[in-house]
Amino acid sequence: MTPVVGRKATGLVAATFTPLTPEGEINLLEIRPYIDYLLEQQGVKSIFVNGTTGEGMSLTVEERKLLAEEWCHKGKNKLEQVIVHVGCMSLKDSQELARHAAEIGADGIAVISPSFFKPATADALRMFLQEVAAAAPAVPFYYYHIPAVTGVNLRSRDVLEGIEKQIPSFQGLKFSGSDLMDFGQCVSYSPSHWSLLYGIDEQLLGALAMGANGAVGSTYNYLGSSVNRLMSAFHKGDLSNARTLQFQVQDILCYAIKMGFDLAVNKQLMSEVSGLALGPPRLPLLPCPQPKAHSIAQRLQQILGEQ
């Protein structure tokens, strides 16, 4: 089979939150203004939907289809890349979502490792990924590495070994881990048409030095403009300015962590900063008290002085 080479994903990719009503149902009406906010206020032109930030594993297959279709439809001719996460505990569900992503014109699909029955080896994980990718062979495919959530601590470099032979559509990696040596080895191994996207927002500068092509993260929903300047400074060789901007991101997140920072807080913070009505998280996550998110938003404004 001829390898699939899609448009290479670079720059910032916002891992989108899933808008829910106060009753916990998906709220598709917020997606169009959400896209406009990312483009106009943050300068973020690509998105990663139904992932960890989007509470993908707490949604039904049908809900994930509805969301993916709406993001693709509303983002058409606006966004550069809409990458849809299709990973599930069930191989069959993942394949169903992969086929659907192909039907709606997604620019890429990504798959997380199953985390209940975990793959014991890199070979086992590659076999799972291969079966999902085969359901949408013409769509660029990304492996989504996030060991802190999955508990699957296989080295990404081992997973990538020979993966292009098993998955001709393989296009790259979303690396949401803190092991920069493993990430660096992935960069060293990768052909030029792959995208190596880093997923730990507070360590992005280190990953750029290792050769990251871009980044996927939740904070780029509301810190995108600042992080775009960080990336621009790095690529211009202005390391001093890039460090300053990275330290600002770290200062904001350190404050948030002290306040108690989880997905529920992050989602409420996005609502505070953007004005979008994103609603609560889905159980078992509990809603964030509004004063907590407001305090973090104030801290963000103090540090950046521009929000």
Side-chain angles (χ1 to χ4, degrees):
M1 183 181 294
T2 303
V4 172
V5 180
R7 182 167 52 183
K8 185 169 180 173
T10 59
L12 290 189
V13 182
T16 55
F17 298 95
T18 292
L20 297 178
T21 67
E23 296 73 34
E25 302 300 322
I26 61 173
N27 181 8
L28 300 180
L29 294 177
E30 282 297 291
I31 288 179
R32 183 188 294 275
Y34 195 151
I35 290 170
D36 290 342
Y37 173 81
L38 290 175
L39 291 169
E40 296 167 10
Q41 302 299 318
Q42 299 298 335
V44 173
K45 302 175 183 178
S46 296
I47 59 173
F48 185 95
V49 306
N50 292 344
T52 305
T53 302
E55 303 175 74
M57 305 307 286
S58 296
L59 303 171
T60 67
V61 167
E62 188 59 33
E63 286 175 326
R64 289 171 69 169
K65 286 182 177 180
L66 289 170
L67 285 159
E69 188 165 357
E70 191 72 4
W71 283 113
C72 285
H73 176 66
K74 292 297 189 296
K76 189 174 183 180
N77 299 322
K78 286 187 169 185
L79 295 168
E80 291 182 355
Q81 296 264 349
V82 178
I83 300 172
V84 178
H85 173 243
V86 301
C88 299
M89 296 301 100
S90 161
L91 172 62
K92 296 297 185 182
D93 286 348
S94 295
Q95 290 173 322
E96 183 177 345
L97 287 171
R99 283 190 289 268
H100 178 259
E103 292 168 3
I104 62 176
D107 298 291
I109 55 175
V111 173
I112 199 172
S113 171
S115 58
F116 189 86
F117 292 116
K118 300 178 178 64
T121 65
D123 286 340
L125 178 51
R126 271 196 308 274
M127 289 172 67
F128 180 87
L129 300 177
Q130 179 183 21
E131 290 297 312
V132 179
V139 182
F141 183 90
Y142 298 83
Y143 166 50
Y144 176 8
H145 174 72
I146 183 167
V149 172
T150 63
V152 176
N153 292 303
L154 301 169
R155 293 174 66 247
S156 283
R157 173 62 183 83
D158 294 336
V159 177
L160 296 187
E161 184 67 34
I163 199 167
E164 68 275 15
K165 295 179 182 177
Q166 287 182 251
I167 306 176
S169 58
F170 191 80
Q171 189 77 21
L173 173 70
K174 178 184 185 292
F175 188 100
S176 294
S178 58
D179 185 347
L180 283 175
M181 183 171 75
D182 186 21
F183 181 71
Q185 289 294 291
C186 292
V187 174
S188 176
Y189 175 77
S190 299
S192 61
H193 66 273
W194 286 6
S195 294
L196 281 298
L197 304 171
Y198 194 66
I200 305 294
D201 304 9
E202 61 270 29
Q203 294 185 177
L204 174 57
L205 185 55
L208 290 173
M210 282 289 182
N213 303 116
V216 182
S218 61
T219 70
Y220 307 142
N221 285 283
Y222 49 84
L223 294 177
S225 60
S226 292
V227 181
N228 270 324
R229 292 199 303 274
L230 184 161
M231 295 186 71
S232 178
F234 174 80
H235 290 305
K236 291 176 181 176
D238 186 356
L239 191 57
S240 176
N241 190 32
R243 281 198 200 101
T244 296
L245 290 161
Q246 181 72 93
F247 293 156
Q248 288 178 340
V249 171
Q250 291 178 347
D251 287 346
I252 292 165
L253 293 179
C254 281
Y255 181 81
I257 290 167
K258 289 178 182 177
M259 293 286 291
F261 192 56
D262 59 11
L263 178 60
V265 177
N266 204 3
K267 189 175 190 181
Q268 185 62 38
L269 177 60
M270 174 59 175
S271 292
E272 284 282 326
V273 174
S274 68
L276 296 166
L278 298 181
R282 180 164 285 182
L283 288 169
L285 298 178
L286 297 176
C288 164
Q290 194 272 341
K292 180 185 288 189
H294 183 67
S295 177
I296 299 170
Q298 286 184 314
R299 181 65 172 168
L300 183 154
Q301 184 177 5
Q302 290 169 1
I303 291 173
L304 298 182
E306 61 179 36
Q307 299 292 323

